[in-house]
Amino acid sequence: MFDGLVAVVTGGGSGIGRACVEALVADGARVGVFDLDPGAPDDPRVHGVRADVADRASLIAGMESVAEAFGGVDILINNAGISAVGTVEDNDDAEWARVLDVNVTGVTRTTAAALPYLRRSEAAAIVNVSSIAAGAGLPKRALYSASKGAVHALTLAMAADLVGEGIRVNCVAPGTVDTPWVARLLAKADDPQAEKRRLAARQPTGRLVTAQEVAAAVLYLASPAAGAVTGMSLAVDGGMSGLRLPARG
Ligand code: NAD
C-alpha cells in the first residue's frame, strides 16, 4: 500500500509511534523516526533522527536528512506527545506551557517543517494523534484534554488550509492503549493490576486497545485508499466514545 512512499513518524521510538513505523515498513514505506530517543534502527528502510518536536531547528534538519536519505517526504504522522495528570488546580503555568508546547505547538512546528516536502508529493497525507480525551470529559486530565482538544481542532483547520493543495489531514482518537506510557501511569497507582482492570472495563470491549490497532487506523488514514477522507477523527477506543451500554450486574 505504501510502496515508493516515505513517512515521518514523530515519537516513533515507542508505543503507538513504533507500531506505526513497523506497520508502514511492512506495507512498503520507508520511514523517518523522529524521537528524543529514536534507537538505532538496523534496517535500511528506517532512518532514525534525534529530533525534539519542541525544537524547530531539529525538525527542519530532520526533514532534510530524511529527504536526502529517501528522496522526499509524503506522509507525516504527528504522534509524539506527553502526559499530564490533574485538575486545573494541579499544574502550574510552567507545566501548562511545557505540555502545550509539545502536544500542540509540536504538531504545528513539525507540520511546517514537513510541508515543503509534502507539497511535492502526489500522495501527501498528515495524521495527527489526538485522544478520546478531546471529546469526553475524563477526570484529572484538564491539561492533557485541552492539548488533545486543540489537536482535534488543529486537524480541522489544517485540513481546510491544505485541501486545495491536495494534502489530506485527519486524526485518530485512541482510548486507553497498552503502551509504555500507560505502563508508567499504572506503576504509580496504589494497585496497578486493579487500575489496569478498571481502565479495561471502561472500554466496552473490556480490554485496552493495542498499539497495532491504532497503527492500523493511522495507516488507513495515511494511505491513498483514504484519498477522499480529510478533516476527520477516527475513534479507536473499544467503543468508549460511542456506545451507551446498560450497567453490568
Ligand atoms: P509512549 O510514551 O510509549 O511514546 C511516546 C514517544 O514520544 C516516546 O518514544 C518519546 O520519546 C517520544 N517523545 C516524547 N516527547 C517528545 C518530543 N518532545 N519530541 C520527540 N519525541 C518525543 O506513548 P504512546 O502511548 O505511544 O503515545 C503516543 C501518542 O498517543 C501521544 O501523543 C499520546 O498522547 C497519544 N495517546 C496515547 C494513549 C494511550 O493510552 N497510550 C491514548 C490516547 C492518545
Side-chain angles (χ1 to χ4, degrees):
M1 196 155 53
F2 293 95
D3 284 341
L5 298 179
V6 177
V8 165
V9 181
T10 68
S14 172
I16 293 168
R18 178 182 288 184
C20 289
V21 173
E22 289 170 358
L24 282 160
V25 168
D27 247 329
R30 286 170 299 164
V31 184
V33 177
F34 281 31
D35 204 298
L36 300 174
D37 178 9
D42 184 22
D43 184 329
R45 299 166 297 180
V46 179
H47 181 69
V49 174
R50 193 170 300 278
D52 180 351
V53 299
D55 172 11
R56 194 176 290 271
S58 75
L59 299 167
I60 292 169
M63 292 296 168
E64 268 171 21
S65 83
V66 171
E68 206 173 284
F70 295 149
V73 179
D74 304 280
I75 291 160
L76 172 62
I77 313 298
N78 282 310
N79 162 78
I82 53 177
S83 165
V85 176
T87 71
V88 290
E89 295 179 299
D90 295 330
N91 294 297
D92 63 15
D93 288 1
E95 185 64 357
W96 272 81
R98 186 180 78 90
V99 173
L100 294 176
D101 192 36
V102 172
N103 288 7
V104 184
T105 319
V107 172
T108 68
R109 270 188 210 103
T110 313
T111 303
L115 275 173
Y117 304 95
L118 297 182
R119 287 196 171 101
R120 287 179 220 142
S121 170
E122 294 291 311
I126 300 171
V127 182
N128 299 327
V129 178
S130 177
S131 166
I132 187 166
L138 304 179
K140 294 199 171 62
R141 291 292 184 276
L143 169 51
Y144 181 70
S145 300
S147 76
K148 291 300 181 177
V151 171
H152 185 213
L154 255 179
T155 300
L156 295 168
M158 286 163 53
D161 285 338
L162 296 171
V163 67
E165 298 185 80
I167 303 173
R168 298 181 302 100
V169 188
N170 293 286
C171 67
V172 292
T176 306
V177 189
D178 199 355
T179 68
W181 167 310
V182 168
R184 285 192 298 273
L185 278 176
L186 289 175
K188 289 184 194 148
D190 293 336
D191 182 344
Q193 282 308 319
E195 180 63 7
K196 188 168 187 182
R197 281 195 297 278
R198 194 187 66 74
L199 289 174
R202 198 167 67 164
Q203 302 186 151
T205 47
R207 63 171 176 83
L208 300 189
V209 178
T210 68
Q212 289 71 27
E213 288 168 329
V214 181
V218 169
L219 259 68
Y220 165 65
L221 292 170
S223 74
V229 182
T230 192
M232 295 305 294
S233 175
L234 178 51
V236 191
D237 62 2
M240 190 174 162
S241 59
L243 306 187
R244 296 293 177 272
L245 303 181
R248 288 195 191 127

